[in-house]
Amino acid sequence: MSEQILRVALVDDQALMRAGFRALLDAEDGIEVVGEAADGEQGVALVRAQVPDIALVDVQMPVLSGIEATRRIASDPVLAAVRVVILTNYGLDEYVFEALRAGASGFLLKDTEPADLLQAIEVVARGEALLSPSVTRTLIGEFVARPPDRATAPGLDGLTRREREVTALAARGLSNEEIAAHMVISPLTAKTHISRAMTKLGARDRAQLVVFAYESGLVEARRRQTHTFDTP
């Protein structure tokens, strides 16, 4: 087992919320809270000073919003290894969608169960996006009423046929294992194709890859249906 300590920064304007997260995280072996910030501007400064593994960032804060704080962190080459997880009260709303665009690796509801928070931190620390299939499907639903934004979408010309295929499947909410089964390749090969597509598109993680797939028109959002997806 790795003895690496995961370093976490807390950025939230509610002192009680920060205290609750700190108490939970400080009680865990292998996690260290390296600092707290009460607004987005302080949060960016904290992340730049500490360069944590994970930054838990509230989506709505004074001075500088969580979205803009995320954008500044994600665009700073020095902070390339920092993963931002957005905290929200509202689920996958417009704010969270924009935060994913800005470079967030995922999101958590503030009332999430403690065990789920800890698992989420581990998932993001491994470099994975905090988007379960069910969450990805909710994200997909956000695109139903949105035409592809090809003016701002990244170009897909550099992707191979295989990379386009795995990107499209990832955007449908399939895991690497499900992609591998669908394409009759190994999970490792599927993961390699995903990684190469992310690199070519400049996507920090799977969350942004999904956003890119829809914004570029590679995948067309389907009409909203009540029973479109099965529970995994």
Side-chain angles (χ1 to χ4, degrees):
M1 296 293 290
S2 172
E3 297 298 327
Q4 179 183 0
I5 301 297
L6 294 179
R7 304 171 73 252
V8 179
L10 303 176
V11 186
D12 195 305
D13 63 327
Q14 297 180 345
L16 186 60
M17 187 63 64
R18 295 197 310 272
F21 280 124
R22 176 180 277 276
L24 173 64
L25 298 177
D26 279 345
E28 288 295 311
D29 293 333
I31 297 178
E32 175 189 4
V33 176
V34 297
E36 301 179 20
D39 62 53
E41 189 171 272
Q42 292 179 11
V44 174
L46 171 63
V47 170
R48 285 175 175 162
Q50 295 292 336
V51 193
D53 300 297
I54 308 290
L56 298 180
V57 178
D58 187 15
V59 71
Q60 292 182 296
M61 290 182 293
V63 184
L64 192 70
S65 72
I67 294 171
E68 182 56 31
T70 298
R71 184 174 291 111
R72 295 186 186 185
I73 292 169
S75 64
D76 189 337
V78 176
L79 305 177
V82 178
R83 293 292 177 260
V84 176
V85 175
I86 291 294
L87 301 171
T88 176
N89 288 316
Y90 309 109
L92 193 64
D93 55 16
E94 181 71 17
Y95 294 110
V96 175
F97 174 79
E98 292 300 328
L100 291 173
R101 258 183 174 168
S105 292
F107 77 95
L108 281 173
L109 293 176
K110 285 189 174 182
D111 63 355
T112 191
E113 293 294 324
D116 293 335
L117 170 63
L118 297 173
Q119 182 181 23
I121 288 175
E122 292 178 0
V123 166
V124 175
R126 291 197 301 265
E128 301 174 24
L130 185 56
L131 289 177
S132 66
S134 61
V135 171
T136 303
R137 290 160 187 167
T138 306
L139 177 62
I140 289 170
E142 289 295 303
F143 287 91
V144 171
R146 301 170 186 263
D149 187 5
R150 292 182 175 86
T152 60
L156 297 172
D157 294 343
L159 298 187
T160 65
R161 180 181 61 82
R162 282 295 211 184
E163 288 163 356
R164 283 172 175 256
E165 187 174 357
V166 297
T167 297
L169 292 172
R172 293 295 187 198
L174 274 65
S175 67
N176 287 346
E177 290 73 18
E178 291 169 332
I179 291 172
H182 181 88
M183 297 178 63
V184 195
I185 57 178
S186 72
L188 179 59
T189 300
K191 182 178 180 180
T192 298
H193 285 315
I194 289 287
S195 297
R196 288 176 178 168
M198 286 167 50
T199 298
K200 290 180 179 180
L201 295 174
R204 286 168 63 91
D205 54 34
R206 201 183 191 94
Q208 280 203 309
L209 189 67
V210 172
V211 172
F212 290 164
Y214 280 90
E215 287 188 328
S216 67
L218 177 64
V219 176
E220 297 292 338
R222 298 171 180 171
R223 292 186 177 278
R224 195 182 300 274
Q225 299 178 12
T226 56
H227 299 293
T228 302
F229 303 108
D230 296 327
T231 301

